[in-house]
Amino acid sequence: PPPPPPPPPPFFFHAQPGIPDSSTSRGLGDVYKRQVIMSQIFLIGSCEPFSGKSALVLGISKKLLEQGKKIRVGKPLATCIELTNLPSMTYEGLIDDDVKFIGTTLNLAEENLIPSVGLLDNISAEKRITNKDLSPGKGFEQIEALVNDDFDGLNILEAAGSLNEGMIYGLSLPQLAKHLNAKVLIVNLWEDSKSVDALLDAKKQLGDHFAGAILNAVVPEQVEKIKNKIIPSLQEMNIKVFGVMPKSPLLRSVTVGELIRRLDAKVICCPEKEQLLVETLSIGAMGVNSAMEFFRRRRNMAVVTGAERTDIQLAALEASTQCLILTGLGEPLLQLIHRAEELEVPILKVDLDTLASVEIIEQAFGHVRIHESIKASYAVQLVQEHVNLKNILETIDFPCNFSDKC
């Protein structure tokens, strides 16, 4: 009789699910390669500086962490104002201040903060131009390596202020998108329909890397009109809009400390209150009765007035005033200083005239970084209420399990 068949093996080999290797296919018996986990890079850029990129990075990162996802954040080109005055700087391991703040706010581990490749400053820019060196440099290899490491999450990189900023360093937004083969979300400040020009230019420069846009700083009364009329037209132009974020006085606000720095002001009282947020600016150049009526309609003001206008200064202290800024000759009366100390309102004295002071303060609104916890909390709330993160992640092919727009 024929010999008995051999006993069955104790276990069977099962091919791992993954990507078939077509170059070595063996037909029905093809063995699948194990799918390698690859890290994914997502770029957030803008057409002009201070458009709300950091707020969006913060809001998206917060939501992903809540859903159990892993994230890393970074800025390939650091733009920290606080560092640009240093005579020399080694860029190795440099973490941008915006990235540090996001990491602290979200309790990210240090290894999840991606170092910058360079710093946007006059010294390094001049050196690069003189040396005719427009390449990203060896530090960029660390950014490129993010794609091939085993980090099972999303790398969120914030680009420089505009599409062209950073070209001297080889780190402009289009260059990053191309070298990293990454999708780009544009945060676009909205003034009116002419703001679409910038989006069309971004789409043209970024090509297939352009994922879509967020319209930011929209006047609240215009939000519904934009959703119902503008966005459908943009969709037909192949511009996806993932959210419309209303204009926020809080996010545009500036701290008293920032005003002190920009005005080079002398602090007469309440120096410990420099973290107070100023949302509006008022000029005390009218009669005291008109001033009182005007001040009542404002909130969280900085009031700029002449040092001799004690009547206006006292009226301002009784309103929603965050700081008094006195211009011109003369010193404030002791009566005024005592009342300001009782109400905990800082008084600043500047050597500039009223017009020059106002110009500097107006330039500060909307052009400061989100480095205050109250702003961070509000930014997260705005993103979660007005941005469709589920659609964004689906567009960039990042797996998510959101049941709604989140």
Side-chain angles (χ1 to χ4, degrees):
F11 61 88
F12 292 92
F13 172 76
H14 292 278
Q16 294 289 340
I19 304 173
D21 186 5
S22 57
S23 62
T24 57
S25 175
R26 294 187 291 276
L28 295 176
D30 189 23
V31 177
Y32 281 69
K33 289 181 177 180
R34 181 186 298 273
Q35 187 169 358
V36 178
I37 295 176
M38 294 184 67
S39 186
Q40 190 169 347
I41 294 179
F42 182 39
L43 287 165
I44 294 182
S46 62
C47 301
E48 60 182 291
F50 299 102
S51 294
K53 297 185 296 295
S54 295
L56 194 63
V57 172
L58 184 61
I60 291 176
S61 300
K62 173 76 170 175
K63 187 63 179 181
L64 287 173
L65 290 173
E66 289 175 351
Q67 296 293 325
K69 302 295 182 180
K70 298 178 182 179
I71 63 161
R72 293 187 295 206
V73 296
K75 288 176 70 172
L77 185 60
T79 56
C80 302
I81 298 174
E82 293 78 7
L83 296 175
T84 54
N85 293 325
L86 295 179
S88 63
M89 166 63 70
T90 172
Y91 302 137
E92 186 175 353
L94 172 65
I95 304 293
D96 183 273
D97 277 0
D98 290 340
V99 175
K100 286 182 181 178
F101 178 76
I102 291 172
T104 301
T105 302
L106 300 179
N107 294 317
L108 295 179
E110 188 174 349
E111 60 266 23
N112 291 331
L113 305 182
I114 302 169
S116 299
V117 176
L119 173 67
L120 183 66
D121 68 339
N122 292 330
I123 297 174
S124 61
E126 182 177 339
K127 183 178 178 181
R128 280 178 163 269
I129 294 170
T130 303
N131 295 338
K132 303 178 183 65
D133 178 15
L134 303 180
S135 63
K138 63 178 182 180
F140 189 67
E141 297 173 358
Q142 300 174 4
I143 303 291
E144 291 180 306
L146 295 174
V147 179
N148 297 318
D149 67 10
D150 58 357
F151 179 71
D152 184 16
L154 186 63
N155 299 287
I156 305 176
L157 299 182
E158 180 181 333
S162 66
L163 293 176
N164 299 323
E165 191 171 64
M167 287 192 71
I168 295 174
Y169 303 83
L171 296 172
S172 69
L173 182 55
Q175 289 170 314
L176 286 171
K178 179 180 178 181
H179 290 314
L180 300 173
N181 192 27
K183 290 291 186 180
V184 179
L185 177 66
I186 292 292
V187 188
N188 196 42
L189 287 179
W190 185 268
E191 293 184 6
D192 52 38
S193 296
K194 297 190 295 295
S195 302
V196 174
D197 274 346
L199 280 181
L200 293 173
D201 181 51
K203 184 175 184 297
K204 181 179 179 181
Q205 290 196 47
L206 294 169
D208 292 338
H209 299 292
F210 179 73
I214 302 290
L215 305 183
N216 192 23
V218 177
V219 176
E221 294 77 16
Q222 295 292 318
V223 169
E224 289 305 315
K225 176 184 176 182
I226 289 174
K227 287 182 178 180
N228 296 329
K229 292 187 177 181
I230 302 297
I231 290 180
S233 297
L234 291 177
Q235 305 278 26
E236 293 182 9
M237 296 184 223
N238 293 321
I239 295 178
K240 293 182 179 179
V241 178
F242 299 107
V244 179
M245 294 173 61
K247 194 171 188 176
S248 165
L250 175 60
L251 294 184
R252 293 183 71 252
S253 65
V254 59
T255 64
V256 172
E258 180 69 13
L259 294 181
I260 294 171
R261 186 185 69 81
R262 292 189 180 226
L263 293 167
D264 193 21
K266 172 186 174 183
V267 182
I268 293 177
C269 72
C270 305
E272 72 281 1
K273 294 297 180 180
E274 67 173 26
Q275 291 304 315
L276 292 175
L277 291 171
V278 175
E279 296 182 7
T280 57
L281 174 62
S282 298
I283 304 173
M286 68 285 280
V288 65
N289 291 332
S290 299
M292 292 179 67
E293 183 178 349
F294 177 74
F295 291 159
R296 290 193 192 102
R297 299 196 300 266
R298 313 283 279 180
R299 62 187 298 258
N300 297 334
M301 300 180 293
V303 177
V304 181
T305 189
E308 77 284 356
R309 293 298 307 269
T310 306
D311 55 344
I312 295 291
Q313 297 157 16
L314 289 170
L317 289 179
E318 305 305 321
S320 178
T321 300
Q322 302 290 70
C323 72
L324 276 177
I325 301 171
L326 310 185
T327 64
L329 300 176
E331 295 296 327
L333 298 178
L334 287 177
Q335 174 191 1
L336 176 75
I337 296 174
H338 292 328
R339 183 57 177 157
E341 289 174 339
E342 289 176 0
L343 299 172
E344 298 184 321
V345 177
I347 298 178
L348 314 182
K349 182 69 171 62
V350 298
D351 295 330
L352 305 168
D353 60 35
T354 298
L355 181 59
S357 300
V358 167
E359 289 179 350
I360 292 174
I361 296 169
E362 286 181 336
Q363 290 172 1
F365 286 119
H367 291 81
V368 290
R369 302 176 185 279
I370 298 180
H371 286 178
E372 296 83 25
S373 58
I374 185 172
K375 284 188 179 182
S377 299
Y378 190 66
V380 168
Q381 179 183 338
L382 272 182
V383 171
Q384 296 195 357
E385 290 180 358
H386 300 283
V387 174
N388 194 324
L389 183 53
K390 178 182 179 182
N391 283 355
I392 292 175
L393 297 178
E394 289 175 349
T395 300
I396 67 173
D397 295 325
F398 185 78
C400 70
N401 54 359
F402 300 143
S403 58
D404 54 18
K405 76 170 188 176
C406 75

